[in-house]
Amino acid sequence: MRLLYVFALIMAVRIASVFVVQTYYVPDEYWQSLEVAHKLTFGYGYLTWEWVKGIRSYVYPLIIAGIYKLLALLQLDSAQLLVLLPRLLQATLTAYSDYRFYVWTGKRKWALFLILVPWFWFYTGSRTLSNTLEASLTTIALSYFPWIGEGSAYLWPAAICCFLRPTAAVIWVPLVIYHLRKTRQPPLELILKHFVLIGAFVAGVGIAIDTYWHGQLIVTPWEFLKYNILHNIGSFYGSHPWYWYFTVGLPTVLGINTLPFIYGIMETVRKGDRHPVSKQLLISILVTLVVLSTVEHKEFRFVTSLLPLCLYVCAESLSRWSYRASRTQLWAAALIILLGNVVPAWYLSTVHQKGPIELMPKLQEIAKDYRDEREQRANILFLMPCHSTPYYSHIHENVTMRFLTCNPNLEQRENFKDEADRFFEAPMHWLRSHIPVHPITAQPSHVVLFDSLEKKITDFLINYKLLYSIEHAEHVHSRTGKSILVYQRLNKGEENAFNRQEDAELPAEPQSSENLFN
């Protein structure tokens, strides 16, 4: 196949994912990229505790901020474009990394097929997640790795990847050792002239950028490791057993591709000399899983960067199997892999947790057009688990908004509970303590909540009317629900009409006290 046609096909799939994937995955997609870029560019927004403490690098948000600034200069900074263009940028980078994967694997048809169909990569490949960027940079670096001959070009994307996501270094330690063992150059010369120089340059530029934007000399990779590994702050957001990545995490990310991956492991173990690249990749995969398993907080997206390594093993094993397989077997294998990926990709991209994405355009319209009887703009309160929705990047209006925070216990206080925990323990108590009763105009103009909370705060909602009910998910959890509700505060004149409507639905009162007591 001509390389131009291959790239066009890959690009078409990735661009399509931008418009097909319209569901909410994790907060970091917005709060660690778009929200930061919005505040940098437009001067208002919200920075989470990670940015206050300096454990995140500004490199990725600055790229997005560059897009925002250009849109602002052209007076094209609509909320729709602020959401769309960063995803198109990430989709383009993902497409290029997919193309490099195809080239790296020897332009095999199985390789092209396997990089295009994985459900998790379709689901996350166009999201503005640092993990997606990490996976793309990892793939590009692997494609330039000197599996044959000499070269050090891979060090550039690998170094950038490790600076942005320090845990990515775990993948590269075994590969760097392999490179030093196989190279014909003097190892010390290679280290000093390439490893040290490239690493120092990337780190120097990154530290300079972060120091400028954080306002103090700071090394964000060190801060990241200090808080997440040494202080184990990540466990505040959940913990899993040590074996989770082996039994749940990686198998889920691979999905149906777990089957050819297991087959590839067996082939590589039996005939390691015939599969030197797969053998080395499996070592990196194993080391990475072991190291990540020592950290309590685990997520599916943390192994996204292992996807290209696993898919290479799959592609190589299937390519060799294809020589002795019949046409029927080939088509059956391809069809099973395709269907096994299409179903979860479709469901998770279009159905599951779609509420926040459908909610934000409605809130954007409210923020833009709403005025109360005093001509005050919208004041929106999110009574949801923290970071359940995007924020100012999707509203792009400088209105007052508040959500329940969930900052970790950075000061190591005893019996610590974050704001969200305190609210959900006693919703009405929290509302009485934090929301003024009089005048009514001092209350939020709009309240956003999951339907599971509605009955618990009916007394508070008596001054509100239901504006929108948006489908979200199929199952109700303790703090989420099947639908997202948007309530709007009643204006003067609406209160009596609203209450009369409610009264009309109540059963008729007894006509006399005699009937009542008898």
Side-chain angles (χ1 to χ4, degrees):
M1 298 175 73
R2 292 185 180 181
L3 293 181
L4 184 61
Y5 293 159
V6 170
F7 183 75
L9 174 62
I10 294 172
M11 192 70 187
V13 172
R14 296 305 165 209
I15 296 299
S17 73
V18 173
F19 298 95
V20 173
V21 179
Q22 295 295 321
T23 52
Y24 189 89
Y25 177 34
V26 289
D28 281 13
E29 179 181 355
Y30 313 101
W31 294 83
Q32 306 298 346
S33 55
L34 301 187
E35 299 302 332
V36 182
H38 191 277
K39 185 169 178 60
L40 288 177
T41 308
F42 302 105
Y44 64 94
Y46 188 93
L47 296 180
T48 60
W49 71 269
E50 294 97 330
W51 298 93
V52 176
K53 294 297 181 180
I55 74 170
R56 301 287 186 182
S57 174
Y58 273 100
V59 173
Y60 189 38
L62 276 175
I63 297 172
I64 299 173
I67 297 174
Y68 286 178
K69 189 64 176 179
L70 180 61
L71 288 174
L73 291 173
L74 297 174
Q75 297 185 344
L76 296 174
D77 54 317
S78 64
Q80 293 77 12
L81 287 180
L82 295 184
V83 175
L84 177 63
L85 291 190
R87 291 197 63 191
L88 288 174
L89 174 66
Q90 182 57 60
T92 302
L93 179 60
T94 298
Y96 177 69
S97 71
D98 293 345
Y99 170 77
R100 290 303 309 174
F101 178 85
Y102 173 71
V103 173
W104 167 40
T105 53
K107 304 173 186 176
R108 295 172 174 146
K109 292 181 180 178
W110 271 114
L112 178 62
F113 179 73
L114 288 172
I115 199 63
L116 289 179
V117 301
W119 76 269
F120 192 78
W121 197 222
F122 184 86
Y123 179 61
T124 61
S126 62
R127 295 183 185 271
T128 50
L129 278 166
S130 60
N131 309 96
T132 303
L133 176 63
E134 175 190 0
S136 297
L137 291 173
T138 299
T139 305
I140 295 168
L142 288 170
S143 72
Y144 286 106
F145 190 86
W147 303 104
I148 300 174
E150 301 288 345
S152 58
Y154 78 96
L155 291 173
W156 290 102
I160 296 171
C161 186
C162 292
F163 185 86
L164 298 180
R165 296 282 302 178
T167 51
V170 181
I171 293 177
W172 290 102
V173 169
L175 292 172
V176 165
I177 294 174
Y178 173 76
H179 182 193
L180 291 173
R181 289 180 58 188
K182 71 174 283 293
T183 183
R184 294 180 180 178
Q185 301 180 51
L188 185 59
E189 180 182 333
L190 181 63
I191 291 173
L192 293 177
K193 290 186 176 181
H194 297 276
F195 286 59
V196 173
L197 284 180
I198 293 174
F201 180 83
V202 170
V205 172
I207 291 171
I209 291 173
D210 290 335
T211 295
Y212 177 82
W213 289 102
H214 279 291
Q216 60 179 329
L217 179 61
I218 194 166
V219 182
T220 53
W222 163 246
E223 298 296 326
F224 179 92
L225 293 173
K226 183 175 71 174
Y227 279 94
N228 285 291
I229 306 300
L230 300 182
H231 295 171
N232 196 26
I233 291 297
S235 61
F236 179 80
Y237 298 105
S239 60
H240 294 86
W242 68 266
Y243 52 81
W244 186 83
Y245 280 125
F246 292 93
T247 59
V248 179
L250 187 60
T252 300
V253 168
L254 289 175
I256 192 69
N257 296 321
T258 302
L259 298 178
F261 179 61
I262 293 174
Y263 176 71
I265 293 175
M266 295 169 58
E267 286 290 296
T268 304
V269 170
R270 286 195 308 149
K271 307 171 184 177
D273 295 339
R274 298 184 184 180
H275 311 280
V277 176
S278 291
K279 179 180 178 180
Q280 190 57 44
L281 292 177
L282 286 177
I283 293 173
S284 289
I285 292 169
L286 179 61
V287 170
T288 302
L289 291 177
V290 169
V291 172
L292 291 180
S293 295
T294 63
V295 182
E296 287 187 44
H297 183 57
K298 300 175 177 68
E299 295 186 37
F300 294 114
R301 61 191 175 99
F302 292 167
V303 292
T304 307
S305 57
L306 292 180
L307 195 55
L309 289 75
C310 296
L311 292 180
Y312 183 98
V313 175
C314 296
E316 185 174 54
S317 60
L318 286 176
S319 295
R320 292 181 181 274
W321 169 77
S322 298
Y323 288 115
R324 60 180 184 274
S326 67
R327 182 179 294 271
T328 302
Q329 290 174 321
L330 287 173
W331 279 102
L335 186 61
I336 290 172
I337 292 173
L338 179 64
L339 291 177
N341 282 289
V342 166
V343 173
W346 166 80
Y347 172 73
L348 292 169
S349 299
T350 63
V351 178
H352 184 63
Q353 295 188 162
K354 64 180 181 177
I357 307 304
E358 295 184 3
L359 165 72
M360 298 316 289
K362 300 182 186 302
L363 293 186
Q364 198 277 331
E365 185 178 343
I366 289 171
K368 182 180 179 181
D369 298 332
Y370 175 84
R371 300 292 185 276
D372 65 11
E373 61 267 32
R374 294 188 176 184
E375 289 300 308
Q376 297 294 317
R377 303 189 71 185
N379 181 340
I380 304 172
L381 173 63
F382 294 82
L383 296 178
M384 314 168 81
C386 70
H387 312 315
S388 290
T389 69
Y391 216 46
Y392 281 101
S393 64
H394 286 54
I395 299 293
H396 195 45
E397 293 286 340
N398 195 5
V399 298
T400 301
M401 298 198 295
R402 180 179 180 181
F403 66 95
L404 302 172
T405 61
C406 55
N407 295 341
N409 187 13
L410 299 174
E411 299 174 0
Q412 301 300 314
R413 288 179 289 175
E414 292 185 6
N415 303 317
F416 174 81
K417 292 180 182 179
D418 62 42
E419 185 178 40
D421 286 339
R422 295 196 302 272
F423 169 80
F424 282 104
E425 278 189 354
M428 283 305 303
H429 174 74
W430 187 93
L431 289 168
R432 293 189 184 104
S433 303
H434 292 80
I435 306 299
V437 178
H438 299 291
I440 191 173
T441 52
Q443 297 180 1
S445 65
H446 295 82
V447 180
V448 185
L449 63 150
F450 284 109
D451 56 354
S452 58
L453 179 66
E454 185 181 26
K455 292 182 179 179
K456 299 177 183 178
I457 60 170
T458 50
D459 289 346
F460 173 73
L461 295 175
I462 195 159
N463 292 322
Y464 291 83
K465 63 180 179 181
L466 181 63
L467 200 61
Y468 298 112
S469 177
I470 302 165
E471 290 185 6
H472 173 62
E474 301 72 41
H475 306 287
V476 177
H477 298 284
S478 59
R479 296 184 179 182
T480 62
K482 293 185 177 181
S483 301
I484 297 176
L485 308 179
V486 180
Y487 275 86
Q488 179 173 293
R489 191 183 66 224
L490 296 167
N491 290 325
K492 281 187 176 180
E494 283 187 302
E495 295 177 70
N496 292 333
F498 183 73
N499 290 332
R500 279 201 303 270
Q501 182 181 354
E502 292 228 323
D503 292 341
E505 296 175 358
L506 297 175
E509 295 183 1
Q511 297 299 313
S512 67
S513 58
E514 183 180 8
N515 290 336
L516 176 63
F517 289 101
N518 289 339

